Amino acid sequence: MQNQVQTISTHGFNDQKPGTSGLRKKVQVFQQTHYLENFVQSIFDTLEVPLGATLTVGGDGRYYNRHAIQTIIEMAAANGFGHVLVGQAGILSTPAVSHIIRKYHTFGGMILSASHNQGGVHGDFGIKYNISNGGPAPEKITDEVFAKSKVITQYKTVKFAPVDINTLGKTEFETDRGKFTVQVIDAVQDYADLMQTLFDFTAIKKLLASGFKMKFDAMHAVTGPYAQEIFVNRLSAPESSLMNCLPSEDFNGGHPDPNLTYAADLVAIMFSGANAPDFGAASDGDGDRNMILGKNFFVTPSDSLAVLAANATLVPAYASGIAGVARSMPTSGAVDRVAVKLNIPCYETPTGWKFFGNLMDAGKVTLCGEESFGTSSSHVREKDGLWAVLFWLNVLAQKYALDGMASVETMLKAHWLEFGRNVYSRHDYEAIPTDAANAVMQHIKGQFESLPGQKFGHYQVGSCDDFSYHDSIDGSVSKNQGVRILFVDGSRIVFRLSGTGTEGATLRIYLEAYETDSHKQHLDAQIALAEMIKIGLQISQLVALTGCVSPTVIT
Ligand code: VG1
Ligand code: CO
């Protein structure tokens, strides 16, 4: 019989533990029989879904999105949802999903993305659940989903004819649980409208008409259509301001991670000398990350957060000031110094956007950021790549209106002069054997007792620990969030295992030193941090334990 809820027998998998941001696996893993269905059912079983509730569904357009969307629609109907909102062609950026959930008060949302991980048939796929505040499900939920996924014995579905998700509009179905509708929405307009309420588009338009050149790289990922609407249609930037704006299922074979290594084409343009554009930016697979560049100049994400906080009142949405700021633990302390000056609180949370949600809901913070190219504010509950780009453009537009010039490099240098520079770098060792990565972490932890007081060249260890976070809003505690070696002069080295990789382990080393001497503030970070890098390798014995002689990615 058609449209009848079916109960399908299944068996649990042991590897569906959500990481830093949802469940990410190779496409082939997701293609195993019942694998996707099990995870979706475990989410639905963890939530108490009110009958007739609305679910938002969308993804970054990568391979397997369309299949997953049809599966989720069918399972949502069988599990008591009354409506599903789907982005046209199944495409919704992560911040757009967050906005849709909030704007239309949907019960929650499913985001189909492995973010900055490579896509395509042989690439990665991922799925993440966001709750009704628009933010990633907290650990309390993801832990329960994982527990359920191991012991699941059945899931529910209703077989529908494939829903046409390319065409805007509503399709109604009858199931034996009642009426069910699928609405295909154009989320680009909603998102662009939201941006227009936050930023001074007239000022940005003037800046872009003044000869100020920008270049935005969507990396063949989800932000392409959004960038077209915002920069070209609404801000009248020339088409030549955009590159790689056609989303593709495998990101055109690239790695949709906006950093100096994987956004090499944009970096080459921005570092091409006197004729380089004045402003460059890129975003990742699902549109929540941002990289900011000036003419021949790179802005570290940690500095970007600090500059945005320091200049927030130049932007209409934040003109009356910001309540507080938050950063992930490995993010540099640059924003902390701004918070001191502004006399607002600064919170330090573990890596992952899910830890900011409670603080934003409680009105404690307005701006948040991570060193991994993530910045955003309480306008949504996700990090937001294009928001950060528009924030920078708005601040630059105000500088242009005031001084007749707008330069990213000048702004950064002035910022360092005022606050000092938190020289910062991250070294990633990707896809190394898990045992070797664990051995490195154990080796460092084994020295927790002996390290304090020890001198290494110019640096002396003050203390070390494995970072724990106590959430002041819901009282939850998250342990083992990264090993910190804190030096007496405020410098630090952090070691952490990634929770988003899908091959072996990825070890991240975060290095930070504070520089007040204006003559040394302009040094290349790798040169300024050379001694710290050596100390990190010495303490961790990384080369001996992993066999890796150099990092895969340096930021
Ligand atoms: C990385 C980043 C983290 C970010 C996460 C999700 O996690 O370090 O800051 O929140 O990716 O971002 P990890 O565990 O690999 O270090 V995204 O844009 O991939 O959703
Ligand atoms: Co992302």
Side-chain angles (χ1 to χ4, degrees), residues 405-423:
M405 76 162 250
S407 152
V408 173
E409 180 172 355
T410 308
M411 266 182 65
L412 249 293
K413 290 188 170 161
H415 185 93
W416 292 340
L417 214 52
E418 179 175 359
F419 295 97
R421 177 181 176 196
N422 289 69
V423 186

Side-chain angles (χ1 to χ4, degrees), residues 21 24 94 113-117 256 258 284-289 383:
S21 175
R24 294 185 196 185
T94 289
S113 170
S115 188
H116 60 288
N117 299 20
D284 71 331
D286 61 329
D288 56 359
R289 295 185 178 203
K383 49 193 196 276

Side-chain angles (χ1 to χ4, degrees), residues 311-393:
N311 292 283
T313 52
L314 294 177
V315 171
Y318 314 100
S320 57
I322 50 179
V325 289
R327 61 164 172 86
S328 66
M329 179 274 283
T331 303
S332 95
V335 74
D336 304 37
R337 298 173 193 281
V338 177
V340 169
K341 183 188 166 195
L342 298 178
N343 196 22
I344 54 170
C346 176
Y347 296 84
E348 186 178 36
T349 60
T351 293
W353 209 262
K354 56 180 175 263
F355 296 101
F356 295 134
N358 280 344
L359 293 169
M360 290 200 251
D361 285 351
K364 305 254 182 221
V365 301
T366 309
L367 300 189
C368 303
E370 296 192 277
E371 48 64 43
S372 54
F373 299 91
T375 12
S376 190
S377 83
S378 46
H379 68 288
V380 287
R381 291 292 181 279
E382 282 282 1
K383 49 193 196 276
D384 190 343
L386 284 168
W387 169 90
V389 176
L390 286 164
F391 200 132
W392 266 95
L393 285 172

Side-chain angles (χ1 to χ4, degrees), residues 77-110:
N79 280 276
F81 282 93
H83 312 274
V84 169
L85 300 183
V86 187
Q88 193 171 19
I91 294 188
L92 286 178
S93 75
T94 289
V97 172
S98 188
H99 177 52
I100 298 291
I101 294 174
R102 293 166 69 78
K103 179 166 180 184
Y104 298 107
H105 306 288
T106 76
F107 180 72
M110 296 247 181

Side-chain angles (χ1 to χ4, degrees), residues 60 75 85 94 130 236 270 368 394 417 433 464 476 485 523 553:
D60 62 9
M75 290 184 67
L85 300 183
T94 289
N130 280 30
S236 309
M270 293 306 300
C368 303
N394 197 153
L417 214 52
C464 29
S476 61
I485 300 174
L523 279 181
V553 175

